[in-house]
Amino acid sequence: MARRGLPLQGRVRWLLLGSFLLLVFLLFAYLLECTPPADAGLAPGSLGSEPYGKEYYQALLQEQEERHLSRAASLKRQIAQLKQELQDMSEKLKALQEKKELEARGHAEPRNPEPGDLLEYLHSQIDKAEVSTGARLPSEYALVPFESFTATKVYQLEMGLTRHPEEKPVRKDRRDELSEVIEAGLDIINNPSEDDGQEEDGLTAHKQMYTENDFVEGLYRTERDKGTLYELFYAKEDSGDFQHVTLFRPFGPLMKVRSTLVETSNTIINIIVPLSGRTDTFSQFLLNFREICVQHDRQVHLTVVYFGQEGLNEVRSALERMSREDNFSNYTLIPVDEEFSRGRGLDIGAHAWKKGDVLMFFCDVDIYFTLEFLNTCRLNSAPNKRVFYPVVFSLYNPAIVYGNLELSPPIEHQLIHKKDAGFWRDFGFGMTCQYRSDFLSIGGFDLEVKGWGVEDVHLYRKYLRSELIVIRTPVSGLFHLWHEKQCADELTPEQYRMCIQSKAMNEASHSHLGMLVFRDEIEAHLRKQAYKTHTKTED
């Protein structure tokens, strides 16, 4: 009987030891928070700069005070969460002890063993939440998409009538949550433990300290029966190495899952564009490609799969001119004498690569992307592990959006995330980043499927039913430029109606379309107001 109680006594001793270590950590955190920074006593003017006024120092003190208050509030929340966790563990151990005593006395029948402690339950929640491997999902509607965020903005899919595609977190609890997560990621990076993924991958962690200014971007999603998963990326300025921290909140304190170093500077992206005609649009695409990929990134390869003969020479000349003027030869033009098929073109482009595995970006000619998106593509894709399906921000018809101007602004000035400027194209799955090896192993496109866009959904469903993790989230650096949609006369009445509905959805926002519908009523009202004003003036 005495031996049966030994494991329980050992657990109590471990609990007491854990409580002692927690108190030591809290004391150390308190002392660290109360210690002023090394350069806190240096006034800006002491380094030979021009003297500053009283308002500057008041603003500086206020900023420092707000930062310390935010840190103190974050630490208080963590302390409260840890205390609650310790209390729950103590109650659980107490219940186990009472159960063991009852079983030892023969007053209770043996039951199925329960989890040893709260940590085991929390890890079981992580296993359910697609942190390490993907879950097999029945359709594209079963996936819970991520929302992306920076230090100041959140990009969200569910806009409704009041929310916006890009906005600052309005609710204080959401601001505090994201600030806490960013700080927790910094603590993990700056104080790495022996079990970090950096050592597992054979990579040497940087010894330099990271700050809030080094936070680049993050993703998060909440599943109601599991918790909230966070993917965070940090990097020093002008560095191709990113610190990737994964955190999970299983309806309790934040838990670290892993911390790894991701090197992106040598990761080549093969941008595959299927094309037929639309040479003017291709010229605009090539301007964007040259500015972003050729002049800044350089770790890219452009593959253009061109269907038909009309316009082929123009495309070839444009590529040769880029090669000559920018000294850039990382491109491939593949002429195909077939009827245009987007899935067929992407499949040809993927198989044309003969240099081993490569990260592929399936792209359309009317897509505009930024330099930041290329790194986002690299960070969210991993061979035999995860594929990236970004949600594109689709721009409305500039003739309607900027109808009050004589001329629409240049495309670069139209790239804004506003409710009246565009919408998140969450029903499209054509733009995707995935490694060639995953594309081939999953079976690629179903080339028997006919129709524009249907092959993309089929490929997406294949990944959802595999063990690969599918990252689906809106991204700030990917735009679908507006182009006129044609509804063919050959369509059936039902197909034509659906085509018109799709065309209307891509033309303008709800409010702009409403202004067009009620244009006559608005003009009549303005005429009445002008007449009343004129009458009063005469009187």
Side-chain angles (χ1 to χ4, degrees):
M1 292 296 182
R3 291 185 178 180
R4 185 175 297 178
L6 287 177
L8 189 61
Q9 294 175 3
R11 288 189 167 209
V12 174
R13 287 197 296 271
W14 279 110
L15 178 62
L16 293 175
L17 178 59
S19 303
F20 174 75
L21 292 176
L22 174 63
L23 291 175
V24 172
F25 168 76
L26 295 177
L27 180 59
F28 175 76
Y30 175 79
L31 293 175
L32 185 64
E33 193 63 33
C34 293
T35 303
D39 57 349
L42 294 176
S46 63
L47 298 179
S49 59
E50 297 181 1
Y52 292 85
K54 180 180 178 181
E55 295 180 354
Y56 171 82
Y57 290 101
Q58 288 179 342
L60 185 63
L61 287 173
Q62 184 178 358
E63 181 181 354
Q64 291 287 343
E65 183 180 2
E66 290 177 354
R67 184 179 296 112
H68 285 298
L69 288 175
S70 176
R71 290 280 295 175
S74 176
L75 285 173
K76 287 180 181 179
R77 287 195 302 272
Q78 295 181 43
I79 290 171
Q81 291 172 348
L82 290 170
K83 285 183 178 179
Q84 183 64 41
E85 184 178 354
L86 277 176
Q87 182 179 351
D88 293 343
M89 292 181 67
S90 300
E91 293 176 356
K92 200 172 189 65
L93 286 173
K94 183 178 179 181
L96 282 172
Q97 185 178 7
E98 293 175 353
K99 177 185 174 183
K100 288 289 185 182
E101 290 176 355
L102 288 174
E103 290 181 355
R105 295 173 186 172
H107 295 304
E109 296 181 0
R111 298 178 182 176
N112 294 330
E114 298 179 359
D117 53 32
L118 182 61
L119 194 60
E120 183 176 340
Y121 166 74
L122 297 179
H123 280 293
S124 69
Q125 290 293 92
I126 293 178
D127 294 337
K128 298 176 184 177
E130 291 190 82
V131 176
S132 300
T133 58
R136 298 178 183 272
L137 301 176
S139 72
E140 62 270 25
Y141 306 106
L143 181 74
V144 179
F146 285 85
E147 292 187 349
S148 58
F149 66 97
T150 64
T152 58
K153 295 179 180 178
V154 174
Y155 301 94
Q156 54 205 7
L157 287 180
E158 297 181 3
M159 295 188 298
L161 293 177
T162 58
R163 300 179 70 185
H164 297 272
E166 168 195 287
E167 65 181 20
K168 296 180 180 179
V170 178
R171 290 177 41 173
K172 185 178 182 301
D173 58 343
R174 174 56 55 85
R175 294 198 305 269
D176 292 343
E177 172 195 353
L178 297 182
S179 297
E180 177 190 0
V181 168
I182 294 173
E183 290 174 5
L186 287 172
D187 184 64
I188 291 172
I189 295 173
N190 293 327
N191 303 284
S193 59
E194 295 180 356
D195 59 345
D196 280 346
Q198 295 169 347
E199 294 187 6
E200 295 175 3
D201 296 340
L203 301 175
T204 303
H206 287 264
K207 299 300 182 182
Q208 56 187 339
M209 300 295 288
Y210 285 76
T211 66
E212 294 177 359
N213 295 330
D214 299 320
F215 175 69
V216 179
E217 62 181 29
L219 310 175
Y220 73 93
R221 72 175 176 188
T222 300
E223 297 182 76
R224 295 180 180 178
D225 59 336
K226 301 178 182 67
T228 304
L229 173 65
Y230 304 91
E231 302 282 356
L232 311 174
F233 298 96
Y234 304 79
K236 290 293 182 180
E237 189 175 358
D238 299 328
S239 173
D241 297 338
F242 289 78
Q243 294 283 354
H244 178 194
V245 178
T246 302
L247 299 173
F248 187 71
R249 190 195 299 274
F251 304 116
L254 277 172
M255 297 181 63
K256 170 189 153 187
V257 179
R258 71 174 74 88
S259 175
T260 57
L261 181 66
V262 183
E263 295 181 344
T264 62
S265 55
N266 295 322
T267 302
I268 295 176
I269 301 180
N270 184 16
I271 302 177
I272 305 177
V273 181
L275 184 63
S276 177
R278 304 188 66 184
T279 54
D280 291 340
T281 307
F282 181 74
S283 298
Q284 177 63 48
F285 172 85
L286 212 56
L287 285 175
N288 174 226
F289 179 85
R290 293 174 69 172
E291 179 184 356
I292 302 301
C293 301
V294 179
Q295 298 176 13
H296 292 91
D297 192 284
R298 303 290 293 187
Q299 294 297 316
V300 293
H301 186 97
L302 176 63
T303 301
V304 180
V305 182
Y306 195 88
F307 289 82
Q309 296 297 320
E310 185 178 354
L312 176 60
N313 290 331
E314 295 180 46
V315 171
R316 179 181 287 111
S317 299
L319 292 171
E320 291 174 351
R321 184 167 56 255
M322 175 187 68
S323 176
R324 184 172 58 256
E325 295 177 356
D326 296 328
N327 191 25
F328 181 83
S329 58
N330 292 339
Y331 72 89
T332 304
L333 175 61
I334 306 176
V336 179
D337 193 14
E338 300 177 10
E339 183 181 353
F340 180 81
S341 169
R342 185 177 186 273
R344 170 71 173 151
L346 294 173
D347 187 78
I348 291 174
H351 283 85
W353 183 268
K354 303 299 182 183
K355 302 176 184 178
D357 203 6
V358 68
L359 176 58
M360 304 184 301
F361 172 38
F362 292 163
C363 184
D364 285 342
V365 71
D366 48 21
I367 291 295
Y368 189 103
F369 54 86
T370 65
L371 184 63
E372 291 74 20
F373 168 74
L374 295 180
N375 276 329
T376 301
C377 177
R378 294 181 176 107
L379 292 172
N380 289 285
S381 307
N384 199 32
K385 187 174 183 181
R386 46 203 271 168
V387 295
F388 184 41
Y389 273 85
V391 180
V392 181
F393 192 74
S394 188
L395 299 179
Y396 289 132
N397 186 348
I400 299 178
V401 176
Y402 306 99
N404 58 333
L405 303 177
E406 292 184 4
L407 292 175
S408 299
I411 290 179
E412 293 77 9
H413 295 166
Q414 298 179 25
L415 306 179
I416 54 176
H417 300 92
K418 300 294 183 183
K419 207 167 189 178
D420 286 336
F423 65 100
W424 292 114
R425 203 179 187 87
D426 58 344
F427 53 83
F429 305 96
M431 308 312 119
T432 171
C433 297
Q434 54 192 264
Y435 276 83
R436 183 175 182 269
S437 56
D438 293 328
F439 176 78
L440 297 179
S441 62
I442 205 74
F445 289 107
D446 185 355
L447 300 180
E448 297 299 323
V449 177
K450 302 300 181 184
W452 183 282
V454 182
E455 76 285 347
D456 299 334
V457 179
H458 279 250
L459 179 64
Y460 184 64
R461 289 171 180 169
K462 285 184 180 180
Y463 281 120
L464 292 180
R465 293 164 184 164
S466 72
E467 295 184 353
L468 296 175
I469 299 175
V470 177
I471 303 295
R472 177 77 167 159
T473 183
V475 294
S476 60
L478 200 60
F479 296 85
H480 177 268
L481 304 181
W482 179 88
H483 60 88
E484 187 174 0
K485 184 178 181 63
Q486 300 291 342
C487 295
D489 293 335
E490 293 78 13
L491 298 175
T492 64
E494 178 65 18
Q495 289 176 326
Y496 191 84
R497 183 184 62 83
M498 294 176 63
C499 181
I500 291 296
Q501 288 179 344
S502 176
K503 183 176 182 178
M505 186 172 57
N506 286 272
E507 283 292 308
S509 65
H510 188 187
S511 60
H512 269 149
L513 289 177
M515 297 294 286
L516 293 176
V517 170
F518 299 109
R519 179 188 298 172
D520 294 340
E521 185 176 336
I522 294 171
E523 290 178 352
H525 172 76
L526 293 176
R527 285 194 298 271
K528 290 179 181 178
Q529 292 295 320
Y531 176 76
K532 290 180 180 179
T533 303
H534 180 69
T535 303
K536 289 182 179 179
T537 303
E538 290 181 348
D539 294 341

